[in-house]
Amino acid sequence: FGFVREVESLGINYGQVANNLPAPEKVLELLRSLKVTKARIYDTNPQVLSAFANSNVEIIVTVENDMLATLTDPNQSLQWVSTRIRPFFPATRITGIAVGNEVFTGDDNTLVTYLVPAMVSIHAALVRLGLDQYIHVSTPNSLAVLQESFPPSAGSFRPELNVIMLQFLQFLAATRGPFWINAYPYFAYKDSPNKIPIDYVLFNPNSGMVDPNTKLHYDNMLYAQVDAVIIAMAKMGYGGIEVRVSETGWPSRGDATEIGANLQNAAIYNHNLMRRQYLNEGTPLRPSMKLEIYVFALFNEDMKPGPTSERNYGLFQPDGTMAYNVGLTALSTTSSSSSSSTSSASISLTSNSTKMKLKRIIDSDHLMIEKDTYTNVQVTM
């Protein structure tokens, strides 16, 4: 895939749980060729941060879960920011610090008590160093933080998280940080393939669903999941916090029990997702606010534990070749910047029940896409 112009609301997760990945400098070249200007890493790897210096790529770094207890100490947080962040900024465009990953729903319950204090300490360190206006602090959350997510108007957090969730939302409101959610419609489909229409989870044309309470129409599950989080926050008095998707994707391979994990579905999901991002869409609940999404992931990672799907979320193989074609051919840096010729192409992606055609005309300045039309009804919260 590749875009003629940069897509402001699209980022990609650059995971590194593999022993065969290209050097960070090569990764930067790949991102530039794709005109992707946002990336997230799962640590503060100095090689990556150095390689991304003086580029136009914004990067979110991560505090590993096992560091949370230490970083509740303000002095330790100041040292961490001073050594892990400050030496690289602003040459490297660090825009966010993800404190932990899916802490609220992890196996180690003690980490939950450390999360908000660590975030407070890290933010205080950023303030002390004059970096808080450039770098936000938040944490990515699993969709499992929700007790209810369907319909979106029923969105609510798990009761046992209410106390700590309130503290977290207070922090985000005070610092204007986003609520990050890892949302994977694939998991919902895998668990209930006979109940959930495949086209609804793949962004393919479908009749969708109407929330009986808000009367909003949803033509895909991802937007419904995001709006469920927005409504859950609103019920706790924090309806104004921005929700962003820190991870979403679809595996191109899976075990026999992982229904739907295949090349065809992965290509359709990511292709349709990127098409919607190119249009800077919002969700039905917030149609005028473009939804920022980070695709998972840039590469297949051969050392990730778990089922086969875990090692096959990448858009690319470690050697830089596409794991599958999402419909738009990657443009090299040279050709995208120097070519003024016009080309056209028509591609077809087929699911079990629909056939969708996307026509594109590419020149040096424009990408025109036939867009499915649907109606959004806005409600105010």
Side-chain angles (χ1 to χ4, degrees), residues 71-73 77 112-122 164 167:
L71 295 183
T72 59
D73 182 339
S77 284
V112 176
T113 61
Y114 301 137
L115 180 60
V116 175
M119 294 172 68
V120 170
S121 291
I122 291 170
I164 187 66
Q167 296 173 5

Side-chain angles (χ1 to χ4, degrees), residues 212-224:
N213 298 308
T214 63
K215 308 305 179 185
L216 294 173
H217 176 257
Y218 291 86
D219 68 350
N220 70 84
M221 180 177 283
L222 181 66
Y223 288 6

Side-chain angles (χ1 to χ4, degrees), residues 154-215:
S156 60
F157 292 113
R158 287 164 45 182
E160 64 270 27
L161 295 176
N162 280 349
V163 173
I164 187 66
M165 186 61 68
L166 184 59
Q167 296 173 5
F168 174 52
L169 295 178
Q170 289 171 341
F171 173 83
L172 293 184
T175 61
R176 299 183 178 180
F179 189 107
W180 288 105
I181 188 76
N182 295 340
Y184 289 87
Y186 158 72
F187 290 128
Y189 177 75
K190 177 179 71 72
D191 294 340
S192 302
N194 296 322
K195 295 181 180 180
I196 299 175
I198 184 67
D199 290 321
Y200 180 65
V201 295
L202 290 179
F203 290 89
N204 273 340
N206 67 97
S207 59
M209 57 83 66
V210 175
D211 189 303
N213 298 308
T214 63
K215 308 305 179 185

Side-chain angles (χ1 to χ4, degrees), residues 33 37 63 84 117 130 144 182 192 219 221 233 236 272 279 296 305 326 330 347-348 373:
S33 74
T37 60
V63 175
R84 303 290 187 95
N182 295 340
S192 302
D219 68 350
M221 180 177 283
M233 292 194 300
M236 298 191 74
N272 284 341
L279 299 170
F296 188 87
V326 298
I347 61 171
S348 177
T373 58

